[in-house]
Amino acid sequence: MDSYNDEDAEGAASRGSAVPPERAFRPVRQAAQASDGSQRASEGAGDRLPDQGQDQDQDQGQGPLPASEDGPSPTSRGETPQAAESAAAVPGPRSGTPHEDPFQPDAGPGADPAPDPDGDPASVRLDPDAPTRGIAALSLPYQVAVAVSLALIAVLAGVHVAMVFLHVAPSNTASKEYGKAIDAWIYPEFEQNWKLFAPNPLQQNVAVQVKAEVTTPDGDRRSTGWIDLSAEDGDAIRGNLLPSHTQQNALRRAWDFYINSHDDKNRSSGLRGRLSESYVRRLVMARLERHDVGGEVERIQLRSSTSAVKAPDWSNEKIDLRPQFRVLPWWTVTAADLPGGVDNGRTEADR
């Protein structure tokens, strides 16, 4: 036993032999930790690494201790035999790093949030899917109260906009019927002294009609009845989601151009008047090309039929619905009045 030295211990460790008990527990380690007792050894057992005990052994000149097959010995971790026995009785890892408790079941994704171990309510984990902002974060009674409040505000804003609109708009059926209520709402806080729309918006239906005098193939002359060109435009755009701009406005704008450039006796006011007359003739001849008038058009006559818009059923306003006509003189059709593609009922021999 006296001949056993450190070299023999290292060789025995490399060959897998057991370390003698009297060499595994050195007296100098027992003397250094005897005064601390088992309590200090158990407290520092989890905080010290196995290499620390070997470093202290090397500092004291005794060299590293060999390791057994089952892992480092208790003395290599800086523990007394009593501390090693008490630590072995505690299950689970002994390191200071966080670990999962093997005796605690997994809560799962749908379980309630786990409270803080120290009992602090502020550290309770909240559900990440729960709303934290907006009306959805409120309880049901508060959500109902907020929804009712927003609905009342929207209704009040709509009524106010409607009252201001009727106040600043030109005189109409609604403003005449509810004039007192509108004035009570507007005055004095919301008084308006300006007009939003034109002083006299269009409240009439205007239709442009044409009559033609034609020469039949037999050489006779006859006149057609009144052809309502505006009614044809209305039929073309009624029910059409994407109506043509020419179907809506070409004839209407041409007639407005003519009326604004002629006086009540159909006398032209100058160059614009003559230009508007030529434009109306060409437009009307293009429209007559779609009709079978029975021959070649020699002359045309236009008129406008103007009637007021009917008042609503709940109104007491009296409106004359009889149409008013404005008849133009006969125009003789010339080659300048035929736009491209219009042959005016002529045959190949006539051309």
Side-chain angles (χ1 to χ4, degrees):
M1 297 299 293
D2 296 337
S3 63
Y4 189 88
N5 52 25
D6 294 340
E7 295 178 357
D8 295 337
E10 294 177 358
S14 63
R15 293 191 301 270
S17 59
V19 179
E22 63 273 11
R23 298 293 295 176
F25 301 96
R26 296 181 181 277
V28 72
R29 300 285 301 172
Q30 297 176 358
Q33 298 183 357
S35 59
D36 295 337
S38 60
Q39 181 178 359
R40 180 178 178 184
S42 61
E43 293 177 354
D47 299 335
R48 299 184 60 188
L49 299 177
D51 295 341
Q52 294 178 354
Q54 297 179 4
D55 294 342
Q56 292 182 0
D57 291 341
Q58 293 177 359
D59 294 341
Q60 295 178 3
Q62 297 184 7
L65 292 178
S68 64
E69 295 180 357
D70 297 335
S73 62
T75 55
S76 65
R77 296 194 302 265
E79 301 176 355
T80 60
Q82 296 83 357
E85 293 176 0
S86 62
V90 180
R94 301 177 58 205
S95 63
T97 58
H99 62 277
E100 296 180 357
D101 190 353
F103 300 100
Q104 180 67 27
D106 187 11
D112 295 334
D116 184 73
D118 298 335
D120 186 6
S123 62
V124 176
R125 295 192 299 257
L126 299 177
D127 185 5
D129 297 333
T132 58
R133 299 182 63 184
I135 300 179
L138 302 176
S139 60
L140 181 59
Y142 285 101
Q143 291 181 4
V144 174
V146 172
V148 172
S149 301
L150 293 177
L152 292 177
I153 293 175
V155 171
L156 183 62
V159 172
H160 177 72
V161 171
M163 290 295 185
V164 174
F165 173 85
L166 294 175
H167 176 68
V168 301
S171 179
N172 53 73
T173 305
S175 62
K176 293 177 181 178
E177 182 72 16
Y178 305 102
K180 294 182 179 180
I182 295 173
D183 293 341
W185 182 279
I186 294 297
Y187 295 105
E189 290 83 7
F190 307 111
E191 180 181 0
Q192 305 287 329
N193 56 1
W194 51 276
K195 298 298 180 180
L196 181 61
F197 300 102
N200 187 21
L202 184 63
Q203 298 180 358
Q204 298 172 333
N205 291 323
V206 180
V208 179
Q209 302 170 351
V210 62
K211 179 190 292 187
E213 185 180 276
V214 300
T215 301
T216 63
D218 297 337
D220 297 334
R221 283 203 175 189
R222 67 179 183 85
S223 297
T224 64
W226 290 104
I227 301 174
D228 196 338
L229 302 179
S230 298
E232 294 178 357
D233 290 345
D235 294 338
I237 66 177
R238 188 174 294 111
N240 188 356
L241 297 179
L242 300 173
S244 171
H245 180 73
T246 57
Q247 292 174 341
Q248 300 178 76
N249 299 316
L251 181 62
R252 180 180 63 86
R253 296 295 299 272
W255 185 254
D256 290 341
F257 185 22
Y258 178 86
I259 294 299
N260 295 329
S261 58
H262 289 73
D263 57 15
D264 295 339
K265 296 182 180 182
N266 298 318
R267 291 178 299 189
S268 174
S269 59
L271 179 61
R272 287 179 57 84
R274 294 191 296 271
L275 180 62
S276 65
E277 182 176 335
S278 175
Y279 179 52
V280 169
R281 288 184 183 184
R282 293 172 63 86
L283 181 60
V284 170
M285 290 303 298
R287 297 290 296 271
L288 286 177
E289 187 71 11
R290 307 173 189 175
H291 296 266
D292 184 10
V293 294
E296 182 179 350
V297 178
E298 300 291 341
R299 297 191 306 170
I300 58 175
Q301 186 179 27
L302 275 72
R303 75 175 184 180
S304 63
S305 174
T306 304
S307 59
V309 177
K310 181 181 178 181
D313 298 335
W314 48 264
S315 176
N316 297 326
E317 186 178 2
K318 303 299 181 180
I319 299 178
D320 187 4
L321 300 179
R322 292 176 299 179
Q324 303 293 328
F325 296 100
R326 177 173 178 175
V327 182
L328 305 185
W330 285 94
W331 289 334
T332 301
V333 178
T334 63
D337 299 329
L338 302 179
V342 176
D343 56 11
N344 192 20
R346 292 176 295 175
T347 62
E348 294 293 336
D350 297 335
R351 295 174 189 167

